[in-house]
Amino acid sequence: MYSGVILLMLVVGIYTDTMDQGPTAGCTFDEDSDPGLCEYKQGQEDDFDWQLMRTYNWPHTSPDLLRGSFMMVNSSQHATGQRAHLLLHSLSENDTHCIQFSYFLYSRDGHSPGELQLYIRVNGGPWGSAVWNVSGSHGRQWHQVELAVSTFWPSEYQVVFEASVSAERRGYIAIDDILLLNYPCYKVPHFSRLGDVEVNAGQNATFQCVATGKTTETEPFLLERRNGVVVAASSIQRLSHKRLMATFQVEAERGEQDLYRCITESARGAAVSNFAELIVRVPPTPIAPPQLLRAGPTYLIIQLNTNSIVGDGPVIRREIEYRASQSPWSETHGVGSLTYKVWHLEPDTEYRISVLLTRPGDGGTGAPGPPLVSRTKCAEPMRALRGLTAIEIQPRQLVLQWEPLGYNLTRCHTYSVSLCYRYSTPAGGSAGNNATVRECLSVERNQSHFTLRDLPPFRSVHVRLALENPEGKKEGREVTFQTEEDIPGGIVPESLTFTPLDDMIFLKWEEPVEPNGVITQYEISYQGIESSDPGINVPGPRRTVSKLRNETYHMFSGLHPGTTYLVSVRARTAKGFGQTALTEITTNISAPVFDYEDVPAPLSESESTITVLLRPALGRGAPVSAYQVVVVEEDGSRRIRRRRRRRELGSGSDCFPVPASQVEAQSKGMPHYYTAELPPSSLPEATPFTVGDNHTYNGYWNTPLDPSKNYLVFFQAISNFRGETRINCIRIARKAACKDHKRALEVSQHAEDMGLILGACAGGLVVLILLLGAIVIIIKKGRDFYSYSYYPKKVALNKAAMSYRQEKTRKLGSLDCSMTEQSTLQQDGRTANSFMDAHTCNTRNEQRSSVNESSSLLGGSPRRHCRRKSSPYHTGQLHPAVRVADLLQHINQMKTGEGYGFKQEYESFFDGWDVTKKKDKTKGRHDNDRHRVKLHSLLADPNSDYGNANYIDTSSQQHHRSFKIL
């Protein structure tokens, strides 16, 4: 803190009427000035002190400073933001006065040395905000400023100068020539006295600051609170060319009570008014609630109880405020006495009554005091409720409404409304007896509608209303309503009864226990969900059937055997379908189905065997469990023959369910026996099988057939599933006894020979001679094989040739001829176009071979001979050797066989004849034909026993067949 000469001239002079009169006191900071007239002190809460400068005594003064005595701050010597305070001594003035001073702010490079601010501190209080300030560089010269201060006794104020260092920290801040003038300021205006303002809490306080002198509307006018808060003017109004009025609005809450003053500033100076007080009054409020003296249905009598209050008085008006507890509205009545009667209230209604007190001024009415909560009395209801109607009718509920309730009807807020209803329901057991359901329900207050739920559909409901309060009860008349139809209830699953067949199901059900209206339709849906037949796709498509309301049964047709169906049944009314009843029904399985269009022809045949083609059966509802080959002796009773005819059609009911081996059948006298039982895996496709091959199949001996008996061969398939057994069989072959067939063959051959002899004539003799010559040569050389060529036309032979053939046949038949054939079920068709046939004659050591043959079952059936196992003639094949003695027999067999192509050619032989020349087909049909047989060595070998036989018909068409002549 520097000690220096204090120069303060505070001289209280006698004011003169002229504006040119000089200052009464001053502080020039010169050495010869009176120290008693200029008192100042350095601040105690600043960062550094002001420096007293007298440039004429200092030899090294900066050239930037002007000459003279003044107080200075060198910004370059202090840090940025540091402050220095210079406080003048307190002044007491009872009127507006003017303080004049000069300031110097300069920096050589034009930067601001800092900021100079001026504070007016009143009665030792806070500094508040700065009333004037300046910053920047204003040139190397002094500038004069005026400060108009308005104070009134007993206030005192103190002028405080503050210098703060800028960020540039260059230049000087100085003050000089502080003078107290005894005339008003010329450069700035001054404020008229600012009076105190009193308002009630919650209102806006209005301050009006009147400035007189040199001023404009562009200059800022501020209202400063003692704590430094500044409020801007809400409006500025010019009263005359030298008078302005600034208006300020301050929200007056209890905490806003404080001192406020007006400030205006410009570059020429500033003006500060005196402090005025804002006084905030709190409106009065009663401490105790009013007291109830008496209550009635429409009124309440109360006592105000306003002896004790909180807040500020005086009380100039008393009021009561009342409202219903559950209502937003309220009313206020002025009260002239301490007792008051509140009229026009609602019966049995709770009210809240409070007292309001008012003091002078706007917003002087205080908050309502503690309320009195009281209720009026009730009255008996005026009448019963009316207008009961149904605004919505549904199958199981009724939405009812009635007239709105009012106090003129209920006469009480604590009323209750009861809704009673009844309806009849069929009693369990005997028809025609009804049970009545009765119930009363409470309706919520202030409600004029109600929903009756859980009602039975399509039923009459009787409803009445009752209005009741503590003082009485009124009941209305009964009104009848009828509920609508609803969807029917579900059909009881236990009522579903059914009878399954293999492709049909008969289903029956009962009507729903709760029809809920008039049943119009039944809907039945079914879908296959499981099947033991792998050929059935599950789940299958869902199908739907509709039935009339009086039909409670249905026959499902076209179903798959052995399939489980999910069946659903539901009833329908006009409102829709009801709940679905579900059940699962499995159809019975059916007998397997064979892929045979007609009775097939056997593949081959011998004395004791017959080869047939077995086709796998198609399971219906269940896979095939086993196959049986059944042999039936045709020479049985008439019953057996009738059954045979039926089995040809594949009727499963006339099949052979009782298994029996050949031995058991003979012992029991049964006409049939199982000759083989085959598993389904052994028959994946059509496979040849030889009946009588002397093998055993699953315990059944495939015994050789008796050549002297007629047999029927049946193929049988069995399906077993869940205790059900279904059998189907089909006749696949018939084997005639050898003696019957031989007799028929001889008769046929004799007729053919007679025709040949009568028609051949000379040509036949030539053919016979050639054939005999060839036979002699072959016998001589003992050859076993031959080849021959034939035409599909009949060859004419004479009686000698015929007799020779018959003689040779008898001789060969007398030999011990036997054969062994082994035929097994083939797993593939590799030998479909080949076969082998071995004949053993004259000796038992001849080579034996087996026959493997597969052909179409729909082709012709070859004729069987007792001494052969099969007919090896197939079109387009080369065949093994044939004995000469059997040549005619083989030719005859080819003519009548369906599978060799020769029969067709033979029969077409007569197509080219002249009808006029043909007399008889069986006799002499070759009479007019000319036949030529030419034998020559085969392969041009003169020693060869083989020869070619060519036949040329009349149409010059040649057909060639090769024979190997023994």
Side-chain angles (χ1 to χ4, degrees), residues 325-338:
S325 298
Q326 304 299 326
S327 177
W329 62 265
S330 63
E331 289 189 11
T332 303
H333 294 173
V335 179
S337 63
L338 298 178

Side-chain angles (χ1 to χ4, degrees), residues 51-56 58 60-77 103-108 113 139-142 170-175:
Q51 183 180 2
L52 178 62
M53 292 293 297
R54 290 190 175 93
T55 58
Y56 49 79
W58 289 17
H60 304 292
T61 305
S62 171
D64 294 338
L65 296 176
L66 299 176
R67 297 182 63 79
S69 298
F70 47 85
M71 300 297 290
M72 182 198 70
V73 171
N74 187 355
S75 298
S76 62
Q77 297 178 356
Y103 71 91
F104 177 83
L105 266 75
Y106 176 70
S107 174
R108 181 183 304 175
R140 191 171 175 270
Q141 61 182 352
W142 291 95
R170 298 177 184 178
Y172 301 93
I173 303 174
I175 57 175

Side-chain angles (χ1 to χ4, degrees), residues 153-167:
W153 183 87
S155 298
E156 64 178 13
Y157 67 95
Q158 186 178 26
V159 179
V160 180
F161 293 93
E162 180 186 74
S164 60
V165 180
S166 67

Side-chain angles (χ1 to χ4, degrees), residues 742-753 794 892 896:
K742 186 180 297 183
R743 184 181 301 111
L745 181 61
E746 289 176 353
V747 173
S748 177
Q749 289 175 350
H750 180 71
E752 294 292 333
D753 290 342
K794 255 185 136 177
N892 207 12
T896 58

